[in-house]
């Protein structure tokens, strides 16, 4: 029974590590959040 619990814990830990590695919302895979895209805004010069 101890071996089964130990094997289950190790497999769960490996699964968690793989899940966290694959669940990245970053474009380059470096970790962290994506930076917002900067969009130029036109300004009128006449008032």
């Amino acid at each position: 029974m101890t071996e089964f619990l130990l094997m289950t814990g190790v497999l769960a830990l490996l699964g968690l590590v793989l899940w966290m590695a694959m669940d990245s919302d970053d474009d380059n895979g470096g970790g962290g959040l994506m930076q917002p895209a900067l969009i130029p805004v036109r300004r009128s010069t006449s008032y």
Side-chain angles (χ1 to χ4, degrees), residues 43-47:
R43 289 180 30 187
S44 64
T45 55
S46 62
Y47 293 105

Side-chain angles (χ1 to χ4, degrees), residues 20-41:
M20 293 301 281
M22 299 300 269
D23 190 30
S24 176
D25 60 352
D26 195 16
D27 287 339
N28 61 4
L33 298 175
M34 292 174 53
Q35 294 294 321
L38 298 177
I39 301 171
V41 177

Side-chain angles (χ1 to χ4, degrees), residues 8-26:
T8 304
V10 168
L11 288 177
L13 184 63
L14 285 175
L16 181 65
V17 167
L18 285 174
W19 181 48
M20 293 301 281
M22 299 300 269
D23 190 30
S24 176
D25 60 352
D26 195 16

